[in-house]
Amino acid sequence: MTLGWDSHWEAEFAPYARQGLLPGRVVRVDRGQCDVLTADGVVRADTAFVTPNDPMRVLCTGDWAAVDPEGGSPRYVRAYLPRRTAFVRSTSSKRSDGQILAANVDHAVVAVSLAVELDLGRVERFLALAWESGAQPVVVLSKADLVPDPVTLAHLVQDVETAAPGVAVLTVSALHGDGLDELRALTGNGTAVLLGQSGAGKSTLANALVGTDVMDVRAARDVDGKGRHTTTTRNLLPLPGGGVLIDTPGLRGVGLYDAETGVGQVFSEIEELAARCRFHDCSHSSEPGCAVAAAVDSGELPVRRLESYRKLVRENQWIVAKTDARLRAEIRKDWKRKGAEGRAAMRAKRGPWT
């Protein structure tokens, strides 16, 4: 079996194989059902057994699943294997739960359109989630043909490289095929997830990598360069040269979800400077001996980078605190319920004379 199946997954699946279940990779998930690609082809399966109340544990595109053998109607996904990596964002709901966008990903390809003004803060946000997932991020500046001046293009690449330390930045024109070979070399090894806003050209890139029109493509609006959500589900696409691509819908909201490590990775130069501050709890604002403030004053560290860092740190701290408070409330509620059940059981055991 291809699609990333290896000795690790085979060992993890061994208990399910003894039960007669089939291994397969989740291609897409709909409400109550999913498509699973097995050695025998695509299986349409029911997800009733893998739909818990916890949104972090629901079945996701990219998961390796244990599926009923042929003969049942319907066929069920009985379980899925523990994930190596998971790309998670915070939902837009008031609860701010985590939402898994893709599982078992090796490369997170962040598509950024050059048809509109660069939003470096959004790039940093995507990269924080990518690093936190455990995948290796790469930034693809798509629609590079819209920036014909090589000097201007070089400056744009440099700006993104400053916002993405340790991350490869590729310029790609799917229209002319420029940069696609380098992107194919990257995505041809393992599993890559394609991320970005609507209008970033993700579906066009997916079609170019697959070699055929597997995803619908529409023109972005001229007024703001935004797309029209032509991709509405997360789809797993086998690539002709090997590897797997997961295409995702355009993301309007990219909320952090317990991404402290990812934020630190994106702003690694600030973390390194902070280690040299006089006070370990330095806020990098007005404290004496602040190495971060000194780097800003000298021009070594752009003010925009520090402001973006502070914003993402504050947001992540708020999400973590809110999640911890909700968990504590749920634990207290569970304790009260179990206490009430225990008292009722004791009264029943003692009888009506106590």
Side-chain angles (χ1 to χ4, degrees):
M1 180 183 291
T2 55
L3 303 179
W5 183 260
D6 56 26
S7 58
H8 165 82
W9 295 121
E10 187 172 5
E12 290 283 340
F13 194 81
Y16 302 107
R18 289 192 288 269
Q19 299 173 32
L21 299 176
L22 301 177
R25 193 142 195 209
V26 178
V27 174
R28 60 178 287 164
V29 179
D30 303 309
R31 288 191 176 184
Q33 291 189 315
C34 67
D35 291 337
V36 182
L37 188 54
T38 71
D40 298 329
V42 177
V43 172
R44 188 70 170 168
D46 195 293
T47 62
F49 292 102
V50 285
T51 311
N53 292 327
D54 183 354
M56 295 287 286
R57 296 172 54 228
V58 298
L59 194 70
C60 180
T61 301
D63 274 324
W64 283 101
V67 188
D68 284 339
E70 189 175 359
S73 182
R75 295 169 72 173
Y76 288 93
V77 172
R78 298 292 174 173
Y80 63 86
L81 302 184
R83 294 161 176 149
R84 284 178 174 171
T85 62
F87 193 96
V88 181
R89 70 165 176 175
S90 176
T91 65
S92 58
S93 67
K94 293 182 179 180
R95 287 175 57 87
S96 296
D97 292 318
Q99 179 190 20
I100 297 181
L101 300 180
N104 302 314
V105 171
D106 302 298
H107 306 284
V109 180
V110 180
V112 180
S113 173
L114 291 179
V116 295
E117 184 177 354
L118 275 179
D119 184 344
L120 295 177
R122 180 169 288 271
V123 173
E124 290 162 342
R125 181 178 292 271
F126 269 109
L127 291 176
L129 295 179
W131 281 121
E132 191 68 32
S133 75
Q136 171 66 46
V138 58
V139 177
V140 170
L141 300 180
S142 64
K143 307 182 183 182
D145 51 282
L146 298 180
V147 187
D149 179 28
V151 175
T152 302
L153 184 61
H155 282 306
L156 292 172
V157 171
Q158 185 177 23
D159 287 343
V160 176
E161 287 177 338
T162 301
V167 176
V169 179
L170 309 180
T171 56
V172 174
S173 168
L175 181 64
H176 300 304
D178 299 333
L180 285 175
D181 288 342
E182 193 173 357
L183 184 57
R184 286 192 186 99
L186 185 146
T187 57
N189 180 24
T191 299
V193 61
L194 197 50
L195 304 156
Q197 288 183 285
S198 290
K202 298 187 305 300
S203 295
T204 302
L205 287 173
N207 289 340
L209 292 171
V210 175
T212 185
D213 290 342
V214 292
M215 305 302 298
D216 185 24
V217 176
R218 299 180 190 174
R221 297 193 303 239
D222 291 334
V223 65
D224 55 11
K226 292 183 179 179
R228 297 175 171 82
H229 289 287
T230 53
T231 303
T232 56
T233 59
R234 292 177 284 279
N235 301 278
L236 186 144
L237 309 168
L239 299 177
V244 174
L245 180 69
I246 297 176
D247 190 22
T248 64
L251 300 175
R252 288 195 180 96
V254 195
L256 300 185
Y257 185 80
D258 196 5
E260 180 181 358
T261 301
V263 172
Q265 190 80 28
V266 174
F267 299 93
S268 57
E269 81 277 29
I270 297 180
E271 299 269 303
E272 292 171 3
L273 288 167
R276 303 203 297 267
C277 291
R278 180 183 301 178
F279 304 106
H280 68 87
D281 59 347
C282 184
S283 65
H284 317 308
S285 54
S286 59
E287 294 91 341
C290 176
V292 175
V296 171
D297 291 340
S298 68
E300 176 188 353
L301 178 67
V303 174
R304 189 208 65 79
R305 283 282 285 173
L306 179 57
E307 291 175 346
S308 183
Y309 172 73
R310 286 172 171 161
K311 179 179 180 180
L312 293 187
V313 167
R314 286 195 301 267
E315 178 182 328
N316 192 68
Q317 289 173 341
W318 181 83
I319 288 291
V320 170
K322 188 173 182 180
T323 302
D324 289 345
R326 186 171 69 245
L327 288 175
R328 288 195 296 270
E330 291 174 352
I331 290 172
R332 286 195 297 269
K333 184 178 179 181
D334 191 49
W335 282 349
K336 289 180 180 179
R337 178 183 61 79
K338 290 181 178 178
E341 292 174 352
R343 289 191 295 272
M346 288 297 294
R347 285 195 297 269
K349 185 177 181 179
R350 291 171 181 168
W353 300 279
T354 58

